[in-house]
Amino acid sequence: MASWEPSTSAVPADSSINIEVQEAELAEVKDIMNDVYKKLSHQDTDLNTFLKGKIKDLESSKTELVGVFGRTGAGKSTLINAIIGETNLLPCGGSGGTACTSVMIQVQANMKDSKYIAEIEFIPAKEWADELQDLKMISRKHGDSDDSDDDDSDDDNVDDKKTDGDDINEKFSALYGEDFKEHADIEDYLTDKKFRDIGIPEFLKSQKILKCENSSDLSKEIAPYTRRDSKRGIGRQYWPLVKCVTIKVPKARKILQHVAIVDLPGTGDRNKSRDEMWKKFVQNCAAVWIVSDKCRASSEKEPWEILNQTISLIGNGGECQSICFICTKSDVLGITDGNLSERDCVLQSNEEVKEQLREEFKKEKNRSSIKKHFGEESDLFKVFTVSSKTVKYLQEEDTEIPELRQFLEYLSDRHSKTKTFVKGAYGILSLMKGNTQGTDSKADVDLKTSLQKWINTVNQSMTRRHNAFEKCLDEGVSKSVKKCDKVLACATGKKGCGHHSKLKSLVQNNGIYKPKSKKGSNINLNERLCKYMREEIDSEFCKTFPNERQAGPIKEAINTFPLVTKSLRDKHKEVALQMTFLKTEEEKLKTKLVNVIREEKKYIYSSLEVSIQKSMQPCYKKAEEHHGTGMKNKIKQELKDHLNASKSIHPSMFEKAKRDMLERMEFLKDTLLDTLRNDMQTSIDQSLKNNFKSVPDVTEQYEKVKICHDKLNGTAGGRENETPGYSRKAQKRSRPRTAGHQPCGKNCIYCPQSADLEEFTNPHTKTIVRLETLTTCETTNVIYAIQCPCSKLYIGKTSTALKDRINKHKCDIRGKVGSLGKHFAKHGHSENDLTFWAIEKVQGGDLGHAEARWINELNTRSSSGLNENKA
């Protein structure tokens, strides 16, 4: 059965500490740090203020979003209910009305108490007033009339039978019922009294909070805010005013502690604030689930349309790392085979559907856009066939609900977040304890020299990426100038906004047309005009800012540079505890910089479209003024004249868009360098100051947190003393770190055997070896280690990708040749029993010398290790 097989797990494979024990220890460490914070507040000094800020920063933790798309009736609500184990939380089909496709619903864990909570966020009152005004205008004018020379009669793209008036009237009828009067004064419907009368006085305060003891009660309470019912079976309906509903569930703490599931409309919304929130949600999705009925999955077009319409937001313009097609109602038997059991019939049918979807995904029309945004060898596409029901002929694992829960736990990654918090607390207490023992001015000089090298490395990497972008954009500008007339004709012709009402809506909404019904297609003229620039930049952009967070040249420049090295710690042992703090600060800073890149890349990618829209703004404003006879042709001419004028001026509209993108790149570079310089320099200065008089004695707290820290990191002694712990195998975890080795994150066939660790025990000297660079199974020019089940090590070198070299070793093991093959054969090991990791990425040095050095240091020649004596 095909399944999601994460390359990492939320808990280390060799960890004897379960999640519950870890969380108990985490709670203890938090209490300790709260107590330390209070002690620091007794005396106001620069150092104490600095330390209090560091303690506050420990709590910061990003919530990962899973965006759920799918047409009404596909089973999204039932799926979410089943995953979080709450049958009656989200109303499903037949529970009164239909889901309102404009309201976004976010489900996350309630970590504070046992209440079921719904936080309802409303659209701004001004936007509601604007919609009221629109209805009044439509009622008065009955829309614009166009003359016969526009010839809309044969327009085969007119798919919006619902008019603006119908759309807006439906909203007000749902909200005000029979009380609504088209010709009433708008202000009468915007008073506190009116909103009190209809039962929603909180609207003008922007938010309403509901609290219930159980999920069934909350479901009933939120129905008027999330369901639409033309028969008014659910009473007064408030969905026209709602932007987003955030539901917090106490039972979901295990899988949703750091994750939120968001039920999203397929293509945004006509309302401005809802559409902006929709875009933000989609851009921030770490994973996207596209839900479809199993019986229609292979033939339905809507899932693929959703993927194509959102690809630029979840790909280069976002941070998505996984796309899952989820086929619901997989328990339906359909045609049965008399030779198979009911269970086998279902499983066989599920496999057939999965294979059909995989084949559909491989088609060029679907695969081409994926390549642009996620790379040639991206392995982000998964298919699930899910049953939300318990049926007698299916086992629990057959429903694949457990696998989706595992997916969310993997994404939540509580273990790593606990480890990060405890490590940060340990670093702070190390500084406070070490600050009472003295300082070292020579260490200050060495650290500042190392910091400047780090800054230079990042600066050089950013400059190279800037130059590569500029070259791609130059080509894109040239193509855009040549083909913009064709783009305009396509967007405003019968296959685009051919109907006069669509064209009018497009210029009124700054170049964006959103259909009144969900059957229509969005048209974004600004996006189409920057199409050729995007096509030229997409591949380079994907290489520079891949959504696999441990990859990319800029991130590599940040993560592979060690500020506090082992040699530096050995050289300045008198400030060993301060160095421990600075190492944790270095790791936190690297994570912070990667987060800056992740967020800023979205602005960089969208800058082309934003710039084009800004340049077109005067034209849209002018075109909007045309009414009556010949309106459509006048609007088209206005747009055409503006584009022609733009070509003749310098810089052209497209040249300006190019400059705007490059300016955003410069802004990112400046932000990274300033953050590196200021944050790390401040930490160095505060660490080596002799201000111990103001720092409270934290010896007791330090020892307690040190015990928790060592348990989580698998060491029996303090790292600063280089004492050995037990032999550490590959630790599995999902979050990228700033140094060490970890799986590539692409769920490749080597990931299950690729270690995830920051350090390991030298089998010869029994000391801890800390890895100083960040590597994965795709890294080149490395010295690597292979560990067999006997815990013996083999050391090797490779200039190609590490996984390619591992593949060669696995072939040797199958063939029983070489030192590894013979050892594995003799002891009954298989090729799947090995674990590997990179020890060092060799930059500009001799791989042979580095390999020999590590073989000697780790003493891996036979019989102590697996290297042949001649090595």
Side-chain angles (χ1 to χ4, degrees):
M1 180 170 60
S3 64
W4 165 257
E5 297 178 357
S7 58
T8 58
S9 168
V11 186
D14 62 341
S15 175
S16 60
I17 311 170
N18 62 37
I19 286 292
E20 288 72 21
V21 172
Q22 288 182 19
E23 290 189 346
E25 292 186 339
L26 175 62
E28 180 184 359
V29 173
K30 286 186 175 182
D31 288 340
I32 289 172
M33 297 313 292
N34 285 335
D35 180 57
V36 171
Y37 186 91
K38 292 174 183 176
K39 289 183 177 181
L40 288 168
S41 300
H42 294 160
Q43 195 167 348
D44 188 18
T45 66
D46 287 345
L47 181 57
N48 285 13
T49 300
F50 170 78
L51 291 169
K52 286 192 294 181
K54 292 298 175 184
I55 293 174
K56 281 185 176 181
D57 288 344
L58 291 174
E59 285 288 356
S60 60
S61 179
K62 183 180 185 294
T63 297
E64 304 288 358
L65 297 184
V66 176
V68 184
F69 295 92
R71 62 172 179 79
T72 302
K76 292 188 293 179
S77 296
T78 305
L79 172 67
I80 295 171
N81 284 342
I83 288 173
I84 62 177
E86 292 284 0
T87 309
N88 301 314
L89 182 62
L90 298 184
C92 306
S95 56
T98 59
C100 177
T101 55
S102 60
V103 175
M104 288 160 281
I105 301 178
Q106 181 176 201
V107 182
Q108 58 191 61
N110 178 6
M111 302 301 298
K112 294 183 178 180
D113 54 44
S114 60
K115 298 284 187 183
Y116 288 79
I117 300 172
E119 297 174 354
I120 300 165
E121 185 177 352
F122 299 111
I123 64 173
K126 183 181 182 305
E127 290 183 16
W128 184 241
D130 290 342
E131 292 203 37
L132 277 167
Q133 185 66 45
D134 286 343
L135 179 60
K136 196 166 185 179
M137 290 175 62
I138 290 166
S139 300
R140 185 186 308 127
K141 297 169 66 177
H142 301 289
D144 280 307
S145 298
D146 205 7
D147 63 357
S148 59
D149 64 359
D150 283 334
D151 190 17
D152 292 325
S153 58
D154 64 343
D155 188 353
D156 60 0
N157 201 38
V158 179
D159 47 33
D160 287 329
K161 295 179 180 179
K162 182 193 276 188
T163 66
D164 282 315
D166 293 334
D167 183 50
I168 300 172
N169 197 36
E170 180 188 4
K171 295 179 180 179
F172 299 129
S173 297
L175 187 63
Y176 297 113
E178 296 178 0
D179 296 335
F180 176 68
K181 298 176 182 178
E182 291 183 0
H183 302 291
D185 190 336
I186 291 174
E187 295 301 321
D188 293 343
Y189 290 89
L190 295 171
T191 63
D192 286 336
K193 181 179 183 305
K194 175 56 73 173
F195 288 114
R196 281 197 304 272
D197 289 345
I198 64 175
I200 189 167
E202 301 89 350
F203 172 65
L204 294 176
K205 296 179 182 179
S206 301
Q207 189 183 61
K208 179 183 178 73
I209 297 178
L210 301 170
K211 292 186 179 182
C212 297
E213 296 295 330
N214 57 65
S215 59
S216 297
D217 289 346
L218 187 70
S219 181
K220 294 174 184 176
E221 291 283 337
I222 65 173
Y225 303 92
T226 61
R227 313 287 287 173
R228 67 200 311 163
D229 183 9
S230 58
K231 298 179 181 179
R232 303 185 63 76
I234 56 177
R236 186 78 72 175
Q237 300 172 62
Y238 304 123
W239 57 263
L241 302 177
V242 178
K243 181 161 61 173
C244 179
V245 177
T246 299
I247 299 173
K248 298 183 178 180
V249 186
K251 281 178 64 175
R253 290 176 182 173
K254 182 179 179 182
I255 59 175
L256 296 183
Q257 181 172 346
H258 303 292
V259 173
I261 303 175
V262 189
D263 186 346
L264 291 163
T267 56
D269 193 78
R270 301 183 80 206
N271 175 274
K272 182 181 178 182
S273 63
R274 269 198 289 255
D275 192 57
E276 287 176 350
M277 175 173 273
W278 177 84
K279 285 182 180 177
K280 185 176 180 182
F281 272 137
V282 176
Q283 285 183 306
N284 290 341
C285 284
V288 166
W289 291 357
I290 301 177
V291 181
S292 178
D293 187 323
K294 170 190 162 184
C295 298
R296 306 172 58 176
S298 58
S299 59
E300 197 170 29
K301 293 181 179 179
E302 189 167 353
W304 302 104
E305 290 173 354
I306 290 172
L307 180 58
N308 288 328
Q309 289 170 355
T310 58
I311 190 69
S312 65
L313 289 173
I314 67 175
N316 282 336
E319 54 182 274
C320 178
Q321 300 177 63
S322 174
I323 299 172
C324 300
F325 268 51
I326 300 178
C327 304
T328 57
K329 306 175 186 176
S330 71
D331 53 281
V332 177
L333 274 171
I335 300 174
T336 59
D337 184 338
N339 298 319
L340 297 174
S341 66
E342 291 177 322
R343 176 175 182 262
D344 288 339
C345 283
V346 169
L347 296 182
Q348 178 176 292
S349 173
N350 290 347
E351 283 302 317
E352 289 172 357
V353 170
K354 288 181 180 181
E355 188 57 35
Q356 288 169 1
L357 285 171
R358 293 189 193 106
E359 289 302 315
E360 185 69 24
F361 180 74
K362 291 177 183 177
K363 290 181 179 179
E364 187 59 29
K365 64 179 181 180
N366 296 318
R367 186 70 180 152
S368 59
S369 57
I370 294 290
K371 289 179 183 178
K372 293 176 185 176
H373 291 269
F374 295 97
E376 286 285 340
E377 300 180 4
S378 181
D379 188 29
L380 80 168
F381 182 75
K382 306 290 177 186
V383 185
F384 294 87
T385 47
V386 172
S387 171
S388 302
K389 296 179 181 179
T390 302
V391 291
K392 62 181 180 180
Y393 51 81
L394 288 182
Q395 299 173 10
E396 184 180 10
E397 62 266 26
D398 297 335
T399 69
E400 299 194 7
I401 292 293
E403 292 181 63
L404 289 177
R405 287 177 180 153
Q406 182 192 13
F407 180 100
L408 294 173
E409 288 188 52
Y410 156 77
L411 206 58
S412 179
D413 193 19
R414 292 184 293 165
H415 170 74
S416 290
K417 288 181 171 67
T418 296
K419 192 172 178 180
T420 298
F421 186 98
V422 173
K423 183 180 285 188
Y426 175 62
I428 293 168
L429 294 175
S430 295
L431 172 61
M432 294 176 72
K433 180 173 169 58
N435 213 275
T436 64
Q437 298 177 359
T439 62
D440 185 348
S441 59
K442 293 181 179 178
D444 181 57
V445 173
D446 287 344
L447 285 166
K448 288 178 180 178
T449 301
S450 184
L451 175 58
Q452 188 57 52
K453 290 180 181 178
W454 191 6
I455 291 170
N456 293 341
T457 299
V458 176
N459 184 31
Q460 290 166 7
S461 178
M462 284 297 303
T463 300
R464 285 193 293 270
R465 303 332 298 167
H466 181 285
N467 294 339
F469 273 33
E470 186 169 20
K471 184 178 179 180
C472 294
L473 289 169
D474 283 339
E475 186 65 28
V477 168
S478 178
K479 287 185 178 180
S480 297
V481 171
K482 292 175 183 177
K483 298 185 179 183
C484 62
D485 290 337
K486 183 179 178 181
V487 171
L488 178 62
C490 183
T492 59
K494 290 185 178 181
K495 295 297 182 182
C497 286
H499 194 273
H500 70 275
S501 61
K502 289 185 178 182
L503 195 55
K504 182 73 169 179
S505 177
L506 179 132
V507 295
Q508 285 176 333
N509 291 284
N510 296 317
I512 300 171
Y513 167 75
K514 288 188 177 291
K516 292 173 274 296
S517 72
K518 293 299 174 182
K519 294 180 181 179
S521 299
N522 286 7
I523 296 173
N524 186 334
L525 179 58
N526 310 304
E527 187 176 57
R528 292 190 181 195
L529 286 170
C530 67
K531 169 188 173 183
Y532 295 103
M533 299 180 74
R534 284 247 175 106
E535 286 180 351
E536 291 297 324
I537 199 70
D538 271 338
S539 178
E540 192 65 43
F541 199 97
C542 181
K543 292 176 185 176
T544 303
F545 302 112
N547 285 356
E548 293 87 355
R549 296 182 190 177
Q550 70 271 30
I554 303 173
K555 295 175 188 176
E556 188 173 310
I558 290 170
N559 285 335
T560 58
F561 191 95
L563 177 73
V564 181
T565 61
K566 181 179 181 299
S567 60
L568 199 58
R569 294 198 299 270
D570 291 343
K571 182 179 178 182
H572 303 285
K573 291 182 178 179
E574 60 276 18
V575 287
L577 289 172
Q578 289 95 319
M579 287 291 186
T580 296
F581 166 73
L582 287 174
K583 192 62 185 177
T584 62
E585 284 298 289
E586 175 191 327
E587 293 174 1
K588 283 166 58 180
L589 180 56
K590 287 177 177 178
T591 299
K592 179 180 179 179
L593 294 175
V594 169
N595 289 339
V596 168
I597 293 171
R598 184 189 62 215
E599 292 304 314
E600 186 58 29
K601 66 162 274 195
K602 301 170 189 175
Y603 294 103
I604 295 172
Y605 193 72
S606 65
S607 63
L608 293 175
E609 183 183 333
V610 170
S611 180
I612 293 292
Q613 186 179 59
K614 188 176 179 181
S615 295
M616 292 291 292
Q617 191 80 35
C619 173
Y620 294 142
K621 209 74 176 170
K622 199 171 178 182
E624 186 183 347
E625 297 172 0
H626 293 296
H627 298 282
T629 303
M631 177 189 69
K632 186 173 77 172
N633 289 333
K634 291 175 183 176
I635 292 176
K636 284 185 177 182
Q637 192 61 46
E638 198 75 62
L639 294 169
K640 188 174 182 180
D641 290 345
H642 184 84
L643 283 180
N644 287 334
S646 174
K647 295 179 192 178
S648 60
I649 61 174
H650 186 78
S652 70
M653 176 173 69
F654 303 106
E655 181 70 27
K656 186 178 184 307
K658 165 200 155 184
R659 293 184 182 183
D660 287 346
M661 176 174 268
L662 293 177
E663 283 178 8
R664 290 297 312 196
M665 281 288 287
E666 282 298 307
F667 175 78
L668 172 60
K669 181 176 84 169
D670 293 342
T671 301
L672 293 177
L673 299 183
D674 289 346
T675 304
L676 253 176
R677 187 179 296 109
N678 297 333
D679 286 21
M680 205 66 230
Q681 188 60 63
T682 299
S683 294
I684 292 171
D685 291 343
Q686 293 292 352
S687 300
L688 300 177
K689 280 184 177 180
N690 196 3
N691 287 341
F692 61 89
K693 291 182 179 179
S694 68
V695 178
D697 182 12
V698 292
T699 301
E700 182 180 352
Q701 292 89 338
Y702 168 81
E703 293 299 333
K704 288 180 179 179
V705 172
K706 182 176 180 295
I707 291 172
C708 293
H709 170 268
D710 291 345
K711 282 183 182 178
L712 286 170
N713 285 275
T715 53
R719 185 175 299 159
E720 67 275 11
N721 297 319
E722 294 297 318
T723 55
Y726 56 86
S727 179
R728 291 160 53 89
K729 293 184 180 180
Q731 287 196 0
K732 306 288 188 179
R733 47 177 277 179
S734 64
R735 310 311 299 158
R737 54 166 63 93
T738 56
H741 182 87
Q742 59 192 23
C744 68
K746 296 181 179 179
N747 199 25
C748 74
I749 61 173
Y750 302 94
C751 281
Q753 292 171 266
S754 180
D756 190 350
L757 73 173
E758 298 176 21
E759 58 191 32
F760 65 97
T761 302
N762 184 323
H764 175 52
T765 62
K766 305 302 180 185
T767 58
I768 298 297
V769 179
R770 185 177 179 86
L771 305 181
E772 301 291 356
T773 54
L774 184 68
T775 56
T776 73
C777 44
E778 292 191 328
T779 308
T780 59
N781 294 316
V782 297
I783 306 301
Y784 61 89
I786 291 177
Q787 188 175 49
C788 74
C790 308
S791 296
K792 289 189 175 183
L793 294 182
Y794 172 90
I795 303 301
K797 67 179 186 298
T798 180
S799 60
T800 60
L802 175 55
K803 64 183 183 181
D804 294 337
R805 183 60 178 152
I806 297 302
N807 182 56
K808 176 66 169 58
H809 282 302
K810 295 179 82 169
C811 290
D812 289 345
I813 292 170
R814 288 196 298 270
K816 302 178 182 180
V817 298
S819 60
L820 276 179
K822 292 174 183 177
H823 173 83
F824 273 58
K826 179 180 179 180
H827 295 276
H829 308 324
S830 78
E831 61 179 290
N832 295 322
D833 293 331
L834 68 82
T835 300
F836 70 90
W837 66 91
I839 297 177
E840 176 188 358
K841 179 174 174 61
V842 180
Q843 297 173 323
D846 187 313
L847 280 169
H849 286 309
E851 179 189 35
R853 172 167 49 82
W854 280 108
I855 288 173
N856 287 331
E857 183 172 334
L858 300 176
N859 192 24
T860 61
R861 293 186 179 88
S862 58
S863 62
S864 301
L866 300 178
N867 288 98
E868 296 178 358
N869 285 328
K870 63 181 181 181

